Structures are given as structure tokens and as C-alpha cells.
Amino acid sequence: MTTHTHSTRGALSAVQQAALLVGAVFLLVGILGFIPGITTDYDTMEFASHDSGAELLGIFQVSILHNLVHLIFGIAGLAMSRTASGARTFLLAGGAVYLVLWLYGLIVGHDSDANFLPMNTADDWLHFVLGVGMIALGALLPGRRTPTSRRM
């Protein structure tokens, strides 16, 4: 009988993998928001204003501040994915932040000075999906590493 053992050292739990992936996507989105062509009407981008006409992928309204928030969320996700508890906190707290942003976007008019990030209807509903999705991942995924060793 042959026994194969593989070290689980360095293996990530499911919740850590999810936080790492979500963080990487936020980081990518933050970077893409600064690339003309991927962000349409790039020359109309403002630092923080509903007047920013720039749209990521021609759909999601962005500004410099909006892109920086994505970058910060991405870095936080990558950093917090190092531990299961950190990953879970990132997903749950980040999801809650995105649900608050969703509500904020629904309450504040898109042409209002209070819409400083800025956000359009597509952003509002993306924030809802992100909020629910992040909370679901944080609440449902296991925080323990799954063993990768098998005996044959």
C-alpha cells in the first residue's frame, strides 16, 4: 500500500480563496478604471463628482475617487485573505458597505451633488449584487482548510 501525503501548509480555505478572488477583481476594476478605451469618455473623468462622464466598459460611471475606492477594496481583500477570520470579515463587512452604497444610490439622485463617487443605475444594482454575494460568501463558505492529502 502506498501512502501519499501532501502538505496543507499554505493551502487556503474556501473563504480565503473567495476573499482573494474578490480582492483581485476589485484591484483589476480599479486599474481598468484608469485605462482610456476600457473607460469610455475618459477625458471627462472628474476626481469626485456626479458630473464625471467616464464609464467603465461604457456602463458603470466612475471617477478618480471611485477607482481609488476599488483599488483600496482590492488591497484590503488581498491582505485580509491571509487568514480565514480576516477573509470572512472582509466579505461580510465589505458586503455590508456595498449594500449601504446600494441604498445610498437609490435614495440620492444621480444628478445630486451628494452623488460624489459618482454612481449611476448600473452601479446601484451592481452594488446590490456585490453586497449580497459578498455576504453570502462570507457567511456560507467554510473557514477551515480542506485536507489535500489522500491515502490510497
Side-chain angles (χ1 to χ4, degrees):
M1 179 187 296
T2 306
T3 303
H4 297 281
T5 59
H6 298 96
S7 172
T8 58
R9 176 182 240 175
L12 298 177
S13 67
V15 75
Q16 288 176 280
Q17 291 174 20
L20 186 65
L21 178 63
V22 170
V25 169
F26 274 118
L27 198 56
L28 178 63
V29 167
I31 292 167
L32 293 176
F34 288 113
I35 299 176
I38 295 174
T39 298
T40 59
D41 297 320
Y42 187 83
D43 58 330
T44 66
M45 187 182 299
E46 300 281 334
F47 177 76
S49 167
H50 68 278
D51 292 328
S52 183
E55 292 183 333
L56 180 62
L57 304 174
I59 300 169
F60 304 103
Q61 191 174 10
V62 292
S63 65
I64 294 170
L65 179 61
H66 203 151
N67 291 333
L68 292 174
V69 168
H70 290 145
L71 290 171
I72 291 167
F73 252 81
I75 292 167
L78 297 179
M80 294 179 78
S81 71
R82 292 183 201 173
T83 66
S85 64
R88 191 171 315 284
T89 298
F90 168 72
L91 292 168
L92 294 174
V97 166
Y98 272 92
L99 287 179
V100 168
L101 282 173
W102 168 65
L103 290 172
Y104 185 79
L106 294 179
I107 294 167
V108 173
H110 293 146
D111 293 328
S112 168
D113 287 339
N115 184 16
F116 62 93
L117 268 181
M119 298 179 286
N120 61 17
T121 302
D123 287 301
D124 294 339
W125 292 103
L126 179 60
H127 292 157
F128 173 76
V129 170
L130 285 170
V132 170
M134 288 174 74
I135 289 172
L137 290 170
L140 300 175
L141 289 177
R144 293 190 179 172
R145 293 182 176 126
T146 55
T148 57
S149 62
R150 289 191 268 170
R151 291 194 172 147
M152 293 187 182

